[in-house]
Amino acid sequence: MTKSKVKSTSYPHSNPTLHPHALTDVERASGLKWHSHASSPRSSQAFCLSAFGTLRSITARDAILESLFRGALACFPRRTQPLCWTILPERENRELLSEFGTRQPTSIDALCVSADEVVCIESKFVSDAGKGFGGCGQYSKSKPEKKCAGFRGPGSDLATRTGAWCRLENWEGERSPRSYWSLGKRWFRTEVFELQTSANICPLRGPNYQLMRNFLFAASMAERDGKSHFGVVTIGPHRFAPILSEQVAAFQKDVLQDQFSDRIAFVDYETYAGLLDDSGDPAAIELAHFIRERIRSIVDQAVEPLG
């Protein structure tokens, strides 16, 4: 999903969902690409920065991360001593998926890297969790000016009327051809690439679109940097677990080849808070308390529809 972002040299100090230790001094000084609603207590970006940005300064960081990954991803290596991990919030790399041009490239909420692994964390909180994972902006049921007819095959390009099976594979102005389909051939089911007509639905049209970009980002970075393992952990409050876990399961079943389905999973934030407590680290326990308090205040106590 394309996230609306604004470059800023300051951060939303008054947002109660942003933990005091979420950002480094460098990030406070140089700024991040803030989402348009980053100052809202419902902000998914602020909550993710609190949950994983704060973890960077906690002594038990590596053990906590590996407990999270090991519990979520069956493919994650089992070992007695954790590796050293780097957590990089709001990480982009246009080269990995050929996302050049003026459009927002894939942005990883929290990119976690060790000497031998890459794990992308895709976080949801309130402002986006109720709708699930984001779909392709080329197609929209609600917008009459949609650029794609919603299937993969000739005739689907409504904007430039090319014969491309997917209009994202062509140059358009400064936007480079995206490499999603070509990279996906190593990981996705053969039926994903079958020729479609207007009677069909593109397999990457809905929530699969955002999940696909996270998956290919992790896979491509691992290959480029010579890492042995990669994965994607999606995470959100337990209240949204039904829709988020269902969408992840559909991506595993309908898009990924069976042997790669264990490289993506959903975990709820309450489970993560439990791992913080289990570490015995006072700073981690304080962070767990912060996470639970924000969920109680913003998610559990909400009377209006969330999303």
Side-chain angles (χ1 to χ4, degrees), residues 122-143:
E122 175 61 34
S123 173
K124 301 294 183 184
F125 185 44
V126 176
S127 61
D128 52 4
K131 299 177 182 177
F133 300 102
C136 180
Q138 301 299 311
Y139 172 83
S140 174
K141 282 185 176 181
S142 60
K143 295 180 180 179

Side-chain angles (χ1 to χ4, degrees), residues 72-73 232-235 248 252 261-267:
L73 304 170
V232 177
V233 171
T234 66
I235 189 167
V248 170
Q252 292 171 317
S261 64
D262 61 356
R263 293 178 181 265
I264 186 169
F266 172 79
V267 180

Side-chain angles (χ1 to χ4, degrees):
M1 179 177 62
T2 300
K3 301 172 182 177
S4 176
K5 297 185 178 183
V6 178
K7 179 67 175 179
S8 173
T9 56
S10 62
Y11 66 98
H13 294 264
S14 61
N15 190 344
T17 298
L18 189 66
H19 191 281
H21 303 305
L23 301 180
T24 65
D25 291 340
V26 172
E27 289 164 348
R28 291 190 182 94
S30 61
L32 290 173
K33 286 187 176 179
W34 292 104
H35 298 182
S36 56
H37 301 292
S39 295
S40 168
R42 292 182 167 210
S43 168
S44 175
Q45 183 184 33
F47 193 72
C48 182
L49 284 167
S50 295
F52 294 102
T54 307
L55 185 62
R56 294 177 291 183
S57 62
I58 293 176
T59 303
R61 173 199 63 208
D62 299 332
I64 292 168
L65 268 186
E66 292 212 358
S67 292
L68 174 66
F69 299 155
R70 189 166 51 248
L73 304 170
C75 66
F76 192 80
R78 268 55 180 168
R79 49 185 169 240
T80 56
Q81 292 294 325
L83 297 181
C84 180
W85 287 82
T86 300
I87 303 173
L88 304 167
E90 297 295 336
R91 192 54 45 155
E92 301 171 359
N93 189 309
R94 292 183 181 273
E95 289 83 3
L96 283 178
L97 308 181
S98 183
E99 296 175 315
F100 298 101
T102 58
R103 300 293 181 88
Q104 172 65 42
T106 297
S107 181
I108 305 303
D109 292 337
L111 177 64
C112 303
V113 182
S114 77
D116 203 36
E117 293 105 14
V118 174
V119 179
C120 292
I121 295 177
E122 175 61 34
S123 173
K124 301 294 183 184
F125 185 44
V126 176
S127 61
D128 52 4
K131 299 177 182 177
F133 300 102
C136 180
Q138 301 299 311
Y139 172 83
S140 174
K141 282 185 176 181
S142 60
K143 295 180 180 179
E145 68 274 18
K146 58 178 178 261
K147 299 179 179 180
C148 172
F151 65 95
R152 173 170 159 78
S156 63
D157 182 359
L158 301 180
T160 54
R161 303 293 178 178
T162 69
W165 288 24
C166 173
R167 66 186 315 276
L168 289 178
E169 293 186 295
N170 285 354
W171 278 95
E172 183 176 9
E174 296 182 355
R175 176 183 61 74
S176 63
R178 301 319 196 209
S179 57
Y180 308 145
W181 294 101
S182 59
L183 291 172
K185 289 179 181 178
R186 293 179 54 187
W187 315 103
F188 300 165
R189 296 176 180 274
T190 56
E191 54 265 35
V192 168
F193 304 96
E194 292 177 354
L195 175 66
Q196 293 186 325
T197 68
S198 58
N200 304 119
I201 296 175
C202 175
L204 302 184
R205 190 176 87 183
N208 288 338
Y209 184 72
Q210 187 175 32
L211 295 173
M212 169 273 294
R213 292 171 77 185
N214 273 263
F215 185 94
L216 292 180
F217 191 105
S220 298
M221 176 169 280
E223 181 177 33
R224 185 198 66 181
D225 297 344
K227 310 289 188 183
S228 299
H229 304 282
F230 73 89
V232 177
V233 171
T234 66
I235 189 167
H238 180 73
R239 177 167 176 174
F240 302 105
I243 184 172
L244 296 175
S245 61
E246 180 181 356
Q247 290 176 352
V248 170
F251 180 73
Q252 292 171 317
K253 174 179 176 292
D254 299 332
V255 177
L256 291 180
Q257 296 177 33
D258 290 339
Q259 64 265 37
F260 305 125
S261 64
D262 61 356
R263 293 178 181 265
I264 186 169
F266 172 79
V267 180
D268 61 52
Y269 264 115
E270 288 82 349
T271 296
Y272 174 58
L275 296 176
L276 292 169
D277 280 337
D278 292 345
S279 72
D281 187 307
I285 294 171
E286 186 279 328
L287 178 56
H289 175 78
F290 179 92
I291 288 172
R292 293 191 182 100
E293 187 280 327
R294 287 289 83 197
I295 291 175
R296 284 195 299 268
S297 298
I298 306 300
V299 179
D300 296 343
Q301 299 303 316
V303 294
E304 70 272 22
L306 298 177

